[in-house]
Structures are given as structure tokens and as C-alpha cells.
Amino acid sequence: MDSLISALDTFDSFVWGPFLLIPLLLGCGAFLTIRLKGLQFRALGRAFRHGLIDGSDEGSGDITNYQALTMALAATVGVGNIVGVATAISIGGPGALFWMWITGLLGMASKYAEAFLGVRFRTTDSRGEQIGGPQVYLSRAIKGPLGKTLATTFALFAVFASFGIGNMTQSNAIAAGLQDTFGIDPWITGVIAFILVGTVLLGGVQSIARVTSAFVPMMIIIYIVGAIIVLIAHAHAIPSALHLIFTDAFTGTAATGGFVGSGILLVIQMGVARGLFSNESGLGSAPIAAAAAQTTHPVRQGLVSMTQTFIDTIIVVSFTGLVIICTGTWNADVSAGNMTAAAFSAGLPGQWGGTIVSISVVFFAFSTILGWSYYGERCLTRLIGPRTSIIYRMIFTMVVFVGATTSLTVVWTIADILNGLMALPNLIGLLVLSGLIARETAAYLKFDPKLKATPEEVRNYVKAEGTGWT
């Protein structure tokens, strides 16, 4: 077992190391940012308005564009926003937060591009439901063996990853949090999670979307409000914390207190790795949800989906990181798993800090399970067919119980590897298709710069352009 763990750790370090995913992720995000002329900065306000204020488009789709956004947020705003941030800072130092920001800002371009493609090349399955994502657009947009290979590879990794990063690790985090804070036996948590997840999954994508759209905004708000209270109590430490973040991002961190010190490469590696783990930009998961959205044009849903990365990384991750650094918890003798709870406890009275973090972990992890169940199911049905849906849901629900009641030392590492391997075929596809993305994005925004065109006007535009989008 020790040799297996060692081999997995070595492979995990290679996948997330400076010679594979880190340059590919940052490079792809930077390249798309340039090709799209800084779209994530130019159109962020319009994207938020369209997704959160204007209401749903009247185009074809299974769920509203707001529900698609919250379902994707449900899958991304998870344990990575709490434990993942703490892990990055505990190993890489405060500078890791800067590289998480960079990953998020560049990742917004990647998230837009993959969501655009998810809608642009989506199809309808035998049940009349929309299906899209890298498992579809890589084969439809990139002709020949390369596209089929990339699509199949992504789908396989995604199915397996859904049971790890999207299931067992999340239910295990729920069980551990409830046991530590409230003394609830993991078996009880496992049974309850089994029942709740099974009940939601029986209703399919509409059921998942209704649940996530109801409680995802609530859980984010509760968590952020708690973080704001802590930061107000430590307002005097915010300037020095920001200085530490920006200076250590390029110099590494010297050993202080309980911190062991880190070099610049480790700071970047932890920031980028945990950044993607948190916001999933370029991973290829979010466009599967985007493809189900009711929208009149791929550009519109791409912009809405882009806001997901901003909410996840620039908002939620930032609050977690600043709380950890401002309270000084990052260099205290505290494990990464307990660091965020300890930081919140430093600014909130009594047991409120630990309670808020534990409840947040439960909600974040549960929502991630629901989102990833849809991702895995869509990829499996693409590989084998829609008849496998009910079987997948049954197995997925049972695995929730297993994750809650089993030690997952090896599973965490395997999940991290699969998470990274999913991104490879998708990132290659984004680079190959970047010209199409940039060309059609520029053309549509020239026609509808304020995203106010009516469905009829959009249909006439698409017909005139002859893009193939319907």
C-alpha cells in the first residue's frame, strides 16, 4: 500500500507540476484572453446583468440559464473553497492566493470558451434532452480521429472523476465535518446523504437545477457574511495581509511560526492546482451544465457561465484566503483540514466560527455531489447510451454512502489525478477551436453588444450568418 501511495503521489505531482497542467492551464487562459480581447474584463458587468437580472432567454433548453449557472456553481463551490484554499496556503504560503486569483482571472476566458462550445455544438438525445460538453463538442467540432479521441478520453476520465472528486471525497468531507462539530456518527450521515441524493437524482436535471438554484445562493451568502464579520474584527491586518500575498507570490515564503517555508515554484504550483480544483475553469465540467440551458445564442450562455469563475475564485476563495491570512492562522500549528474553521473561530464568538464552516462544508459538498452526478451521467450516456442513466444514478447514490463511511487516503490522490487528466483533452480542444470561438464571439457582440436582442432578432441573425447554431 505504501508503494502504491508513493507512486500515486509522484504521478499527481507530475500532472499538477510545472511541466504539464500549470503551463497548459495558464497558457491556455492567457491565449484565450488575448484572442477574445479581454472579454472577461470588458463584458463582466453585462454577463452578471444578463444572468442574474434580465431573466432566462426564451431559447431551447432543459433549464434556465440561471439554473445552469447555479448548477455549475453547485459543482464548483465545494470543499475546494474551504479546505483547498487552506491547503494551498498552508503549503505554498500566502502568495498561493495570488496565483489562485490569476488562475481565476485567466480561467474566466477558458470558462467562457468551453461554455460557448458546450451550447454551440450541443445535440438532443433520444429522450429529447440537451446534451453537450467536451464529450460532444470535441468530436463534433474537431473532425477526424483527433476529435473522437479527445472526446472519448474526456468522457472516460469524467465518469471516473465523478465518483471521486464529485462524490466520495465530498460525502467524506460532510461526514467528517458533522462528526467533528456535532458528534454525528458517519453511518448516520451516510444514510441521510444516501436518501437525500437519491431523492433529488430521481427527478433528473430539472430536479437538480431546482434544488441548486434554491440553496446555492443562500449557502454562499451565509459563508461570506461570516467571513466579512471576521475581517471586520481584523481590519487592521488587511493591508499587511495584501502586502504579504503580493510579495510572497514572487519570492516564496520564509519559515515563520508553524509554517515550514516554500519556494516560488511551490507557491505557483499550489495556487494554480488549488485554483483549478476550486473553479474548474478549463476542466470541461461546467459546459455540460451550460449545454442544458435555455438560451438564444452560445455567446449569451458563455458570458453567464463566465461569472461562475468570478464568484467562485475572486469572491468566495478570496474571503477564505483573507480570513486565514488576516487571523494569522496560516502559520499556526493547525492542520489544513482545520485551518479555515480555526480562522473563523478567531473572529466569531463562542463556537460560531467552527459551526459556520462545518455547515458550509456540508452545503458546499452536498451541492457538489448533485452537480457532478449530472456531469458523470451525461458523459456515460454519451459513451454508452441514455439507457444507462438510471443505473448510473443508482450506483452514484450508493457510492455516496461508501464515501461517508470509509477512509479515503488513496481516493483523494486518485481524485486529484483524474481531475487534472480531465482537463488535458479539453484544453487541447480549446486551443484548436480558439479561432472559431473568437470569430463567432466578435460577430455576435457586434450585432448585440448589450445582450438585449429579442429571440426573433437572434434567430434572424443566426440564419443570416449561417453558423450552424440552431
Side-chain angles (χ1 to χ4, degrees), residues 245-326:
I245 290 167
F246 284 101
T247 55
D248 288 8
F250 300 97
T251 61
T253 310
T256 57
F259 186 67
V260 297
S262 64
I264 179 63
L265 287 180
L266 185 58
V267 177
I268 297 174
Q269 180 179 352
M270 292 309 303
V272 174
R274 295 304 97 187
L276 176 64
F277 183 90
S278 174
N279 62 52
E280 299 183 6
S281 295
L283 189 67
S285 53
I288 301 175
Q294 296 167 358
T295 184
T296 53
H297 197 276
V299 168
R300 291 191 175 204
Q301 186 56 40
L303 290 171
V304 172
S305 296
M306 181 182 75
T307 64
Q308 171 208 331
T309 298
F310 185 89
I311 294 170
D312 178 277
T313 305
I314 307 304
I315 297 178
V316 181
V317 164
S318 294
F319 274 109
T320 301
L322 286 172
V323 166
I324 290 173
I325 297 169
C326 287

Side-chain angles (χ1 to χ4, degrees), residues 121-139:
F121 292 98
R122 69 186 181 184
T123 61
T124 304
D125 64 19
S126 59
R127 296 174 299 187
E129 294 181 349
Q130 300 286 350
I131 180 171
Q135 79 281 15
V136 176
Y137 64 66
L138 289 174
S139 60

Side-chain angles (χ1 to χ4, degrees), residues 10-262:
T10 300
F11 188 50
D12 187 34
S13 297
F14 170 73
V15 170
W16 288 105
F19 304 109
L20 190 60
L21 270 184
I22 288 180
L24 187 56
L25 279 166
L26 294 179
C28 183
F31 181 71
L32 288 170
T33 296
I34 294 171
R35 293 220 67 170
L36 293 169
K37 300 179 181 179
L39 180 68
Q40 66 266 50
F41 308 111
R42 294 187 292 114
L44 183 61
R46 283 174 284 171
F48 269 112
R49 189 205 68 224
H50 183 63
L52 303 179
I53 299 175
D54 289 349
S56 179
D57 278 351
E58 298 177 11
S60 60
D62 301 322
I63 57 179
T64 68
N65 56 18
Y66 171 73
Q67 288 176 328
L69 171 63
T70 56
M71 190 163 74
L73 272 173
T76 54
V77 179
V79 177
N81 294 79
I82 298 177
V83 180
V85 176
T87 300
I89 295 175
S90 67
I91 298 176
L97 183 58
F98 171 86
W99 292 105
M100 295 184 81
W101 289 338
I102 295 299
T103 303
L105 291 173
L106 296 179
M108 289 173 68
S110 301
K111 185 64 65 71
Y112 167 82
E114 59 189 3
F116 169 90
L117 292 173
V119 178
R120 172 70 168 76
F121 292 98
R122 69 186 181 184
T123 61
T124 304
D125 64 19
S126 59
R127 296 174 299 187
E129 294 181 349
Q130 300 286 350
I131 180 171
Q135 79 281 15
V136 176
Y137 64 66
L138 289 174
S139 60
R140 294 194 70 202
I142 303 175
K143 304 300 181 182
L146 175 61
K148 292 181 180 179
T149 300
L150 292 174
T152 301
T153 301
F154 173 85
L156 285 172
F157 285 140
V159 170
F160 286 112
S162 71
F163 289 101
I165 203 66
N167 187 325
M168 295 181 71
T169 58
Q170 305 297 327
S171 61
N172 187 264
I174 293 173
L178 291 178
Q179 184 178 37
D180 292 341
T181 305
F182 304 106
I184 299 175
D185 191 285
W187 283 81
I188 297 176
T189 300
V191 171
I192 295 175
F194 172 85
I195 295 172
L196 292 177
V197 171
T199 301
V200 175
L201 296 193
L202 283 176
V205 63
Q206 287 83 7
S207 178
I208 296 172
R210 284 194 299 270
V211 172
T212 55
S213 65
F215 79 79
V216 165
M218 176 193 69
M219 72 181 192
I220 293 176
I221 291 172
I222 291 174
Y223 183 76
I224 289 177
V225 168
I228 289 174
I229 295 173
V230 175
L231 290 177
I232 290 175
H234 293 80
H236 63 281
I238 294 178
S240 59
L242 292 173
H243 179 266
L244 197 60
I245 290 167
F246 284 101
T247 55
D248 288 8
F250 300 97
T251 61
T253 310
T256 57
F259 186 67
V260 297
S262 64

Side-chain angles (χ1 to χ4, degrees), residues 325-370:
I325 297 169
C326 287
T327 58
T329 314
W330 70 275
N331 65 350
D333 190 15
V334 181
S335 68
N338 297 318
M339 184 173 289
T340 305
F344 270 70
S345 296
L348 295 173
Q351 302 298 317
W352 276 102
T355 300
I356 287 178
V357 171
S358 294
I359 293 175
S360 296
V361 167
V362 171
F363 278 108
F364 286 6
F366 181 73
S367 66
T368 298
I369 292 172
L370 297 181

